[in-house]
Amino acid sequence: MRITTSRKEIIDITKAWLAITVAFAIVLSESGLNLLQAIIVSAIAVGLGFLLHELGHKIVAQYYRCFAEFRSFDSMLLLAIAMSFFGFVFAAPGAVMIHGYVNKERNGKISIAGPAINIGLALIFLALGFIFRNNIVLLYGFKINVWLALFNMIPLGNFDGAKIFRWNKKLYFAFVALSLGLFLI
């Protein structure tokens, strides 16, 4: 399987990564980090989680021979930055647009790929946190990736959670329970 991309997708995903990095950095700078530290933490912890989440959707969709490319929602990028000044980030920077044969099962599998990657990243950040104690990037990497997974499991509209819920309710509830359990750590 060959993963394809375009110049437009690279521009859109870069815009989205930069915008959510700035938005999360503004919020994190209120928690005691200086702005440079907050930008570095956000670029790594949030950026990695965001990029790999979207790449997960893309790879699974292309595995099913669908056209799949990320498109940014520019108004939502501006909203994320604006809301960050109030201490909250509503992160809906865009989505992987998919065209091709996608039934309920395939859509569920494509949809769970992103949040599953966030949980996998959270567990990696957590394990590394036990090795490299008091590392702020690892702590935020864990927390932010668990939050991204939970946020995407909202079972409404075009959120991943709605598609997973329609496909497999048992898997949906098991995944939400796992994510909530990690969130409470």
Side-chain angles (χ1 to χ4, degrees), residues 51-140:
L51 289 171
L52 293 179
H53 175 106
E54 298 302 339
L55 188 60
H57 292 315
K58 179 182 180 73
I59 289 170
V60 175
Q62 287 188 352
Y63 171 81
Y64 289 123
R65 301 186 193 287
C66 295
F67 170 85
E69 282 198 354
F70 179 83
R71 293 294 181 258
S72 63
F73 302 153
D74 294 347
S75 59
M76 294 305 285
L77 297 176
L78 294 173
L79 179 64
I81 293 170
M83 289 184 70
S84 69
F85 288 104
F86 299 100
F88 179 77
V89 177
F90 182 79
V96 173
M97 300 298 154
I98 300 165
H99 302 284
Y101 175 68
V102 180
N103 61 19
K104 187 167 48 171
E105 179 182 357
R106 285 182 176 185
N107 203 17
K109 289 177 180 180
I110 291 166
S111 297
I112 202 161
I117 285 175
N118 290 123
I119 292 300
L121 281 171
L123 293 173
I124 290 168
F125 281 121
L126 181 63
L128 290 172
F130 284 116
I131 297 167
F132 305 102
R133 301 240 179 232
N134 300 322
N135 183 299
I136 196 78
V137 173
L138 299 175
L139 173 66
Y140 281 114

Side-chain angles (χ1 to χ4, degrees), residues 6-18 50 69-74 77 93-95:
S6 69
R7 185 174 188 274
K8 169 83 172 131
E9 180 178 41
I10 292 168
I11 290 169
D12 277 17
I13 207 154
T14 301
K15 276 192 305 191
W17 182 23
L18 291 173
F50 159 70
E69 282 198 354
F70 179 83
R71 293 294 181 258
S72 63
F73 302 153
D74 294 347
L77 297 176

Side-chain angles (χ1 to χ4, degrees), residues 141-173:
F142 170 74
K143 288 182 175 187
I144 288 168
N145 276 282
V146 169
W147 183 86
L148 288 171
L150 268 174
F151 179 78
N152 278 280
M153 292 306 290
I154 294 171
L156 302 171
N158 282 328
F159 282 100
D160 296 332
K163 298 167 204 165
I164 298 162
F165 184 82
R166 283 192 294 270
W167 165 53
N168 188 324
K169 289 173 182 49
K170 288 180 184 177
L171 180 63
Y172 172 83
F173 285 114

